[in-house]
Amino acid sequence: MKTQISNKEIWSIALPIMLGNMAQTIINFTDTAFLGRLGVIALGASMLAGLFYFVFTTIATGFAIGIQIIIARRFGEGNHGRIGVIFQHGSIFVLILGLILFSILYIFSDHLLLWLIDSPNIYEASLEYIKYRQFGIIFVCFNFLYRALYVGISNTKVITYSTIIMAVVNIILDYCLIFGNFGFPEMGIGGAALASFCAEVSAFTFFTIYSYITLRNKDYGMFKLHRLESELMGRILKLATPTMIQKLFSFSVWFIFFILIEKMGETATGISSIVRSVYMILITPCFAFATTTNTVVSRIIGEGHSDQVFSTINKILKNCLLCTIPIIILVAIFPIQIARIYTDDLNLAQLVVPSIYVICFGTIFQGIGNAYFEAVSGTGNTSAALYLEAVILVIYVAFIWAMTHLTTRVELVWTAEILYGALLGILCGIYMKFAKWDKKRV
């Protein structure tokens, strides 16, 4: 049977998600570009403290992906009335989760960062950053939930609007609060964190108002009071828990990656802060098409077209590569110019260039690997996705540890991203080929 998913439909879902993913990328880009003028200490601290913060938010990300899979399945089945019920159950969990995560950050951040970071200068700057950023975690959790809703019902243009709002708020406040412009206090790295917090609140406010205005009169049952269904909450948690654990493990390992680099010295940390920012720009389309794979696979299974899954994955991958490769080529041609966006130090910019070449290759492998990984999750087999990535993460961490102890060249450590993407694509591709995922019910 010929696939019913057209290139136009793939792009209609992926492009707004891409722009939505750009929200955090833009925040990271503007923070890094501005803080680069303050030196490698501010660069390293904003990177490590920001990653530390997002280790906690990944639990909410994982839960939101579980909600997204269920909403997409109900949407594909045409059972729209259940979407509001699912969202409200998700809201209860997210509120409780957000309060718990904030409490952990508020009480334990200083002790955890002291244990993880060797440099006293980077430690002190990291504390200044997290002092302001921690207050945004509840809003971030709800933003993930809203994104899951709109991706699940294939109305992803809303994510674009929220991204624009976040980007504008963050850029303006970064300029005002980091350097003390327009009468604002000069807060340095703390100003970058406060700007990010305000951007997160603005996105939450927009999502809430937009949802009330546009979904109030639809048949989703969004703003009706639904009774708590323990059986539904149990099914949501059964599907979402493996994804929550997987995302927590995945991002924690990403954090470990930079902690090990920090032990190579402040210069290595500063280099990697810039490389990470460039990498996040390169990989944004890959994540968008991977999320598209997740929701489209879940939807077409719900529509009863499991036979179209592989052809759909391949079509999404072709579009992903067509979007990503031109950006990679541009970055590879002008690496020094791109590095100079982040720093006035020419020597530091030149040290960044070899790692930029490495992540250009890594991005291609990540695009393929993440598409197949999200396809596994999209089938509803989130436990299988967890087990597959657990195996890969063990190899990934061992490789990073070895490289940070055997070499002083940062670019060789970054080759871990190529290894990770390749293993993810191979193992998940084998799973999709031979496992009986089409029998899974969610």
Side-chain angles (χ1 to χ4, degrees):
M1 184 184 298
K2 185 179 179 181
T3 180
Q4 297 176 349
I5 303 296
S6 65
N7 289 322
K8 182 179 179 181
E9 189 171 1
I10 289 169
W11 276 95
S12 70
I13 299 172
L15 184 58
I17 296 174
M18 196 183 307
L19 295 172
N21 289 346
M22 284 298 292
Q24 290 303 328
T25 303
I26 290 169
I27 287 176
N28 172 257
F29 171 81
T30 52
D31 284 358
T32 307
F34 283 130
L35 291 173
R37 271 63 192 170
L38 302 182
V40 293
I41 300 299
L43 275 174
S46 66
M47 178 186 71
L48 291 174
L51 287 168
F52 174 78
Y53 172 76
F54 279 107
V55 165
F56 292 90
T57 68
T58 49
I59 302 173
T61 307
F63 180 77
I65 290 173
I67 291 287
Q68 175 186 311
I69 293 168
I70 297 174
I71 288 176
R73 190 66 57 89
R74 297 293 90 83
F75 188 77
E77 294 168 351
N79 190 2
H80 295 175
R82 293 295 291 172
I83 290 175
V85 181
I86 295 165
F87 183 83
Q88 286 188 18
H89 281 67
S91 298
I92 294 170
F93 181 85
V94 160
L95 177 60
I96 296 170
L97 177 64
L99 290 170
I100 293 171
L101 293 176
F102 171 75
S103 299
I104 295 171
L105 281 170
Y106 188 81
I107 297 170
F108 298 110
S109 286
D110 53 345
H111 303 293
L112 291 171
L113 288 171
L114 181 61
W115 177 58
L116 292 166
I117 297 173
D118 285 350
S119 168
N121 294 325
I122 292 179
Y123 168 71
E124 290 297 333
S126 297
L127 283 186
E128 178 70 12
Y129 185 90
I130 210 71
K131 178 174 71 175
Y132 296 100
R133 193 72 189 271
Q134 63 191 355
F135 291 100
I137 196 163
I138 296 175
F139 300 99
V140 170
C141 291
F142 271 99
N143 288 342
F144 284 137
L145 186 64
Y146 275 121
R147 282 165 55 86
L149 166 67
Y150 285 108
V151 171
I153 64 176
S154 299
N155 183 14
T156 50
K157 64 181 181 181
V158 183
I159 301 170
T160 304
Y161 305 149
S162 71
T163 300
I164 294 171
I165 292 170
M166 283 189 73
V168 170
V169 170
N170 189 71
I171 291 170
I172 292 174
L173 291 181
D174 261 356
Y175 184 74
C176 293
L177 293 171
I178 293 175
F179 304 112
N181 292 312
F182 301 124
F184 284 82
E186 183 178 346
M187 299 175 63
I189 191 172
L194 182 56
S196 298
F197 162 72
C198 293
E200 289 158 352
V201 173
S202 68
F204 168 78
T205 303
F206 165 76
F207 272 131
T208 303
I209 294 173
Y210 183 95
S211 299
Y212 183 76
I213 293 172
T214 60
L215 300 182
R216 182 177 46 181
N217 298 320
K218 293 188 180 292
D219 59 355
Y220 298 139
M222 284 289 295
F223 295 97
K224 296 177 182 177
L225 187 62
H226 302 283
R227 65 180 180 85
L228 185 65
E229 301 177 23
S230 57
E231 188 272 336
L232 173 60
M233 184 65 85
R235 281 194 292 116
I236 291 172
L237 290 174
K238 182 179 180 181
L239 182 66
T241 298
T243 311
M244 291 163 63
I245 296 170
Q246 177 264 317
K247 290 296 180 185
L248 178 62
F249 282 176
S250 180
F251 208 88
S252 295
V253 167
W254 182 235
F255 181 58
I256 290 170
F257 176 95
F258 290 101
I259 287 296
L260 289 172
I261 286 179
E262 188 267 340
K263 298 183 187 308
M264 295 173 69
E266 292 175 353
T267 300
T269 307
I271 291 169
S272 291
S273 179
I274 294 173
V275 175
R276 171 180 172 256
S277 183
V278 177
Y279 191 38
M280 289 299 97
I281 295 171
L282 288 173
I283 210 170
T284 291
C286 299
F287 286 148
F289 282 101
T291 303
T292 302
T293 305
N294 182 298
T295 193
V296 169
V297 165
S298 183
R299 194 181 81 192
I300 62 178
I301 292 174
E303 292 171 349
H305 299 299
S306 297
D307 57 306
Q308 298 175 10
V309 166
F310 264 105
S311 60
T312 300
I313 294 170
N314 290 332
K315 182 172 283 191
I316 293 171
L317 264 177
K318 289 177 184 176
N319 283 279
C320 176
L321 293 175
L322 283 172
C323 176
T324 305
I325 289 175
I327 304 172
I328 292 172
I329 293 172
L330 185 66
V331 171
I333 292 173
F334 302 106
I336 192 70
Q337 289 83 355
I338 290 170
R340 289 299 300 274
I341 295 172
Y342 297 93
T343 179
D344 295 326
D345 186 336
L346 180 59
N347 183 56
L348 180 61
Q350 290 172 336
L351 291 173
V352 168
V353 171
S355 297
I356 288 181
Y357 289 136
V358 171
I359 61 172
C360 285
F361 283 106
T363 300
I364 297 173
F365 287 95
Q366 289 283 350
I368 297 170
N370 277 284
Y372 274 100
F373 177 77
E374 289 297 339
V376 175
S377 294
T379 65
N381 286 273
T382 51
S383 294
L386 171 61
Y387 300 145
L388 286 168
E389 186 162 29
V391 172
I392 295 167
L393 289 176
V394 170
I395 300 170
Y396 179 76
V397 171
F399 181 84
I400 297 166
W401 185 90
M403 295 307 293
T404 54
H405 285 74
L406 294 174
T407 182
T408 57
R409 295 174 61 184
V410 177
E411 66 271 19
L412 294 181
V413 182
W414 275 95
T415 59
E417 292 303 297
I418 299 174
L419 175 67
Y420 175 85
L423 289 174
L424 198 64
I426 292 168
L427 292 185
C428 292
I430 292 171
Y431 177 88
M432 291 298 295
K433 181 71 175 177
F434 296 106
K436 298 186 182 299
W437 46 264
D438 55 325
K439 307 299 183 184
K440 181 73 175 180
R441 295 182 62 85
V442 299

